[in-house]
Amino acid sequence: MAQKTAADAKPGEVTVRGKVGNLNAPRQLWIYMGDEKWDTVPVKNGEFEYRKKTLLPAYGAIMVKYSPYYPGVKGPGFFSDMSLASVFFENGTMTVNTAVDTLKTGVQIQGSSLNAKHNEFWNKEGALVRDQKKLAAEFNNASVEQLQSEAYLQEYERKNEVILQRWDSLVLAEVKKYPDSYHTVMAFYGYMRQRKPDSTAAIAIADQFGELYKERMRSSVRNQPAEATAKIPVAPVGSVAPDFVQDNMEGKPVKLSDLRSKYILIDFWASWCGPCRKVNPDLVKLYQQFKGPKFEILGVSLDQDADKWKAAVEKDQLTWLHVSDLKGWKNEVAQQYDIRAIPQNLLLDPSGKVVARNLKIDELEDQLSNLLK
């Protein structure tokens, strides 16, 4: 998604030294900058020093691994046991210091003006993140009656839009202030995860960049929707849907192909997804109408928290089949089907072929009425 080195990056050398608590083996310190190559760094009683010649400035990270891993080791557990600080690396000497054996809090990084600017921005952005999380928590604790209330859902969407508009203003102000700075490029990429790529606000912000980055930012905003539209989807209508296996709430595997002989609606959703929860009451009514030997729903959740997933299923009264690997956007089925936004759905016939994609409730009702009569 983002270039890891600045557009005007030049060959240079950076020295990074400092102290991370009293870190010692077998715990390890790792650094990468720009090229995605992680290097292990010797550390004794927390003290370390690292030099590298590369293109600078570059964006990267410093990571503490609490269990020993070595170069070349890969797997799902690699990032599950670590603390990490994102860093802008610049030519010269930088220092990294913290009193404890973690990089999650209290880290002091000096020697990079880009890092200092971005930390100021992160602090402002952090307030928006907290407000967004608070709103999401309120939504997750909403009653069934509230979730079925159009007025409540409209108010939720209004509050969320207010936060996004504040985000628009924050990023716009930062880009206007630093139109040629690499840190605003990375801030903009982070912002794009919140806003639709073709939003008017995103286009307006992209146009505020200086000549060094303007064309890249315009391209990232304006080309993505066209590419997404032109892209042939995984499992197009008429094809057999790729098979998969994922665990249900009891930890037992559910295999898609085992459900053949019925029409199956694969519903990609999550407890934290407002639009998903908004449609659930209507989906419940539809399921009550058509459930039986000829029709079933298989919910694939992009949750990470099992308790929140299960609570949402219970609160919304979703009595159909549910699976998840609790990897969020990295859910293996979602990646297999190239799911980049939710809610999404696919309707399969009894042979496993895709009948339709992304049906609205009324469209789904019409389809099932015709198919199951």
Side-chain angles (χ1 to χ4, degrees):
M1 178 176 176
Q3 288 291 110
K4 298 298 182 181
T5 54
D8 59 344
K10 299 176 181 178
E13 182 175 276
V14 60
T15 298
V16 186
R17 63 167 64 103
K19 193 172 189 302
V20 180
N22 293 299
L23 201 69
N24 279 295
R27 296 177 176 182
Q28 296 178 327
L29 193 68
W30 293 52
I31 295 179
Y32 89 83
M33 52 183 75
D35 55 10
E36 301 280 359
K37 180 180 180 295
W38 286 97
D39 291 328
T40 52
V41 181
V43 58
K44 184 175 181 180
N45 297 326
E47 296 182 352
F48 72 95
E49 183 168 313
Y50 172 82
R51 287 187 177 87
K52 185 170 183 175
K53 292 183 178 180
T54 189
L55 291 175
L56 297 167
Y59 185 66
I62 301 175
M63 174 175 71
V64 172
K65 285 294 297 173
Y66 296 105
S67 297
Y69 278 81
Y70 301 92
V73 173
K74 296 180 180 179
F78 184 85
F79 292 103
S80 64
D81 170 81
M82 59 86 173
S83 64
L84 180 147
S86 298
V87 181
F88 287 86
F89 296 96
E90 296 186 73
N91 199 55
T93 300
M94 297 176 59
T95 60
V96 177
N97 290 288
T98 177
V100 290
D101 296 357
T102 179
L103 297 171
K104 290 182 178 179
T105 58
V107 183
Q108 299 294 320
I109 300 175
Q110 296 180 323
S112 167
S113 61
L114 285 175
N115 221 65
K117 291 174 184 175
H118 209 62
N119 280 342
E120 288 182 16
F121 174 79
W122 273 334
N123 288 335
K124 297 173 186 175
E125 192 177 58
L128 294 175
V129 172
R130 288 190 294 273
D131 287 347
Q132 202 172 52
K133 287 182 176 179
K134 181 180 178 181
L135 182 61
E138 291 174 359
F139 187 87
N140 284 333
N141 291 323
S143 66
V144 174
E145 290 74 19
Q146 286 175 311
L147 293 173
Q148 293 175 342
S149 165
E150 188 65 27
Y152 174 82
L153 294 171
Q154 287 178 355
E155 180 63 10
Y156 165 78
E157 290 177 357
R158 185 196 67 78
K159 289 179 179 178
N160 190 57
E161 183 61 26
V162 168
I163 294 173
L164 291 177
Q165 288 174 359
R166 289 166 56 200
W167 223 305
D168 296 338
S169 299
L170 175 65
V171 178
L172 180 61
E174 193 74 6
V175 174
K176 281 185 174 181
K177 188 176 181 180
Y178 302 110
D180 296 302
S181 176
Y182 184 44
H183 96 274
T184 54
V185 171
M186 301 308 293
F188 184 73
Y189 281 126
Y191 160 80
M192 290 277 282
R193 300 189 189 100
Q194 302 291 330
R195 274 299 195 194
K196 291 180 180 179
D198 58 347
S199 75
T200 302
I203 293 171
I205 295 171
D207 285 341
Q208 295 299 317
F209 279 91
E211 294 305 317
L212 188 63
Y213 290 109
K214 182 179 289 186
E215 197 53 44
R216 183 193 295 180
M217 297 301 101
R218 282 174 172 172
S219 176
S220 69
V221 173
R222 291 178 173 146
N223 289 348
Q224 187 169 337
E227 291 170 0
T229 302
K231 186 176 180 180
I232 298 174
V234 176
V237 172
S239 69
V240 175
D243 201 9
F244 61 82
V245 178
Q246 203 155 90
D247 287 352
N248 63 16
M249 291 184 171
E250 290 72 43
K252 296 179 180 179
V254 175
K255 189 174 184 179
L256 177 63
S257 57
D258 288 344
L259 303 177
R260 287 181 183 172
S261 77
K262 295 183 177 184
Y263 284 91
I264 302 295
L265 182 74
I266 305 177
D267 180 42
F268 291 94
W269 76 294
S271 68
W272 44 262
C273 169
C276 304
R277 302 289 293 275
K278 181 177 179 179
V279 79
N280 276 346
D282 290 329
L283 193 56
V284 168
K285 293 177 183 176
L286 183 139
Y287 184 65
Q288 293 299 322
Q289 181 180 352
F290 291 104
K291 69 176 181 178
K294 293 184 179 181
F295 176 66
E296 185 57 80
I297 299 177
L298 178 60
V300 179
S301 169
L302 275 64
D303 273 282
Q304 291 181 292
D305 186 309
D307 291 338
K308 291 181 179 178
W309 172 37
K310 294 175 182 178
V313 168
E314 181 177 357
K315 178 178 288 186
D316 293 3
Q317 301 176 31
L318 313 181
T319 56
W320 47 83
L321 299 174
H322 294 276
V323 297
S324 182
D325 58 12
L326 298 175
K327 294 180 181 179
W329 283 108
K330 294 184 179 180
N331 181 290
E332 292 180 6
V333 178
Q335 291 193 330
Q336 182 181 2
Y337 279 74
D338 195 29
I339 300 300
R340 302 187 182 188
I342 52 175
Q344 286 198 52
N345 62 56
L346 294 87
L347 180 63
L348 313 184
D349 71 12
S351 69
K353 288 185 179 179
V354 180
V355 175
R357 297 174 59 95
N358 295 325
L359 293 166
K360 296 179 181 178
I361 290 294
D362 56 346
E363 295 171 336
L364 180 58
E365 184 175 8
D366 289 343
Q367 283 270 7
L368 292 175
S369 295
N370 291 327
L371 292 169
L372 301 182
K373 62 182 178 181

